[in-house]
Amino acid sequence: MINNDIYKKSGLMRMNIARDFYLMDPGGRIPTILEYTEQFSVSRGIVQNAIRQLEEDGCIAIEKKGVKGTFLREKDDRKLYACTGWGSVTGTMPLPLNINLISLATALGEQLEQADFPFSFAYITGSERRLGALEHMMYDFIVVTRATALDYLNACEFVRECITLKDCSYASDFVLYFLDPSKHEIEDGMRVAVDMKCRDQWELTRLLCRDKQVEYVSFPYISFENLVRKKAADCVVYRLLDIGKTDRGTPLREEELHAEPIRAAGAFPDEDARIPVVLVHRDNYGMDRLLQRYIDPVHSGIIQQAVCSGEKSYKLY
């Protein structure tokens, strides 16, 4: 009788070791057989077979140096990558409808474009939707704010932090928009618009409405302009807008809106709602190191600033 479990473990081990070798520079020390068996809970034979297969396929050449260990002498990245199982690397972030997200997508995409593997972005509004896609490993990474990332890291075992882009900006600050210019704070009886799939917006709205008797009106986050025109709600927590730049219809006029700064004790810090974080799935072995190899937080900030200032053209991937 064929033991399919052994075949599955053998294939997975070969894939994971190929990822390690792909991310390793020639001359680097290879983990010992014992280290691999303990890390992945497999037998010595499975580890040895995986390494031998990669050698026989011309992916790697190794050199044993006695008590010093075994080292990667040379490798063929093209052959190795074909064994990693990664295929085309795909990330997901919000629809790039404002300059912050357009420039952020450009910064990340430009760096990943330098890699020798195919890459693309999928644009999904709503961090909860992106989290669900990551959980089912539909995408290799997601981009959220640091406030959202901290929530997910605390609540979801499968989430791993990959890169904090401290020199980049996810979006402008949140403000309170009122349709009635005489209003300055949320009051009982108001209709408050929310998108429960947008974690930061929903959490901040709930905090501001604490102890208030309000009616929540569900709306897609990107449909703010329509919400204003239809007068479907009295107020909404929203990012400070470049009026008219994200609207796909007739641009909004500034006089149609009344913005108030948000003063909410206990809310997440403003910078946590602005700083982007890249998250990966715990079981996508090596993906964090792959992305860290090509995405540099400082260089990402330089590219984003150049796009925002007009010195550099944007490019969406």
Side-chain angles (χ1 to χ4, degrees):
M1 181 177 179
I2 297 175
N3 188 335
N4 288 325
D5 187 52
I6 290 179
Y7 281 104
K8 289 179 181 178
K9 286 185 177 181
S10 179
L12 182 62
M13 195 68 241
R14 183 172 184 266
M15 183 177 72
N16 287 340
I17 290 180
R19 294 181 179 189
D20 276 348
F21 287 152
Y22 181 80
L23 294 167
M24 188 183 300
D25 294 326
R29 177 187 169 277
I30 296 171
T32 65
I33 301 296
L34 179 60
E35 287 171 337
Y36 271 132
T37 59
E38 292 179 346
Q39 181 180 0
F40 294 104
S41 301
V42 295
S43 68
R44 291 178 60 87
I46 287 178
V47 175
Q48 290 169 333
N49 287 337
I51 295 175
R52 184 172 59 251
Q53 287 174 8
L54 291 172
E55 285 186 278
E56 292 174 351
D57 291 342
C59 298
I60 60 168
I62 62 177
E63 180 179 3
K64 296 181 180 180
K65 296 184 178 181
V67 294
K68 292 183 178 180
T70 303
F71 294 79
L72 179 63
R73 181 160 54 86
E74 57 184 61
K75 61 174 182 169
D76 185 320
D77 278 339
R78 182 184 61 80
K79 290 182 178 180
L80 268 177
Y81 194 83
C83 298
T84 63
W86 276 324
S88 178
V89 173
T90 306
T92 178
M93 61 179 291
L95 287 165
L97 297 179
N98 59 54
I99 190 59
N100 294 88
L101 294 174
I102 289 172
S103 56
L104 181 60
T106 302
L108 298 179
E110 183 174 298
Q111 292 174 90
L112 287 171
E113 194 176 37
Q114 305 307 309
D116 53 2
F117 51 78
F119 161 75
S120 63
F121 260 129
Y123 299 105
I124 302 176
T125 296
S127 59
E128 293 289 305
R129 298 181 182 92
R130 297 195 294 280
L131 179 71
L134 182 66
E135 181 177 13
H136 293 94
M137 300 184 78
M138 297 170 60
Y139 302 106
D140 295 298
F141 67 91
I142 64 174
V143 181
V144 297
T145 66
R146 187 162 67 181
T148 295
L150 292 172
D151 282 347
Y152 290 163
L153 289 165
N154 288 328
C156 307
E157 291 186 357
F158 68 88
V159 175
R160 290 290 180 270
E161 182 176 344
C162 179
I163 306 169
T164 296
L165 299 163
K166 56 183 178 61
D167 294 311
C168 292
S169 176
Y170 184 94
S172 54
D173 291 337
F174 280 110
V175 296
L176 262 173
Y177 281 104
F178 292 93
L179 271 67
D180 184 343
S182 68
K183 302 298 181 182
H184 302 282
E185 61 181 28
I186 297 174
E187 301 173 357
D188 289 345
M190 280 188 171
R191 298 165 300 162
V192 182
V194 295
D195 185 344
M196 297 179 185
K197 297 296 184 181
C198 292
R199 184 72 171 231
D200 290 350
Q201 195 261 358
W202 172 227
E203 292 297 331
L204 187 52
T205 300
R206 285 202 301 178
L207 180 64
L208 293 171
C209 293
R210 185 177 51 194
D211 302 325
K212 305 282 187 180
Q213 298 297 316
V214 300
E215 175 189 351
Y216 290 122
V217 178
S218 180
F219 85 110
Y221 189 81
I222 62 172
S223 298
F224 174 68
E225 292 87 347
N226 290 331
L227 186 82
V228 171
R229 292 193 175 92
K230 293 179 180 179
K231 302 187 183 301
D234 299 303
C235 65
V236 61
V237 173
Y238 210 78
R239 300 283 186 179
L240 187 62
L241 294 176
D242 291 328
I243 303 301
K245 291 185 179 179
T246 65
D247 188 32
R248 288 168 290 180
T250 304
L252 286 169
R253 301 185 307 276
E254 291 191 28
E255 56 266 27
E256 292 182 76
L257 305 170
H258 171 61
E260 286 287 332
I262 290 177
R263 305 177 185 88
F268 41 76
D270 287 343
E271 66 174 12
D272 281 356
R274 287 196 301 267
I275 295 176
V277 174
V278 177
L279 300 177
V280 297
H281 197 292
R282 173 193 62 188
D283 295 336
N284 194 351
Y285 180 71
M287 180 53 63
D288 53 348
R289 289 179 288 143
L290 180 69
L291 296 175
Q292 289 162 6
R293 166 171 283 203
Y294 293 100
I295 298 175
D296 177 71
V298 174
H299 190 52
S300 297
I302 292 171
I303 296 174
Q304 186 180 44
Q305 286 300 316
V307 174
C308 289
S309 67
E311 296 175 20
K312 186 180 186 65
S313 299
Y314 72 86
K315 182 178 179 181
L316 300 182
Y317 296 80

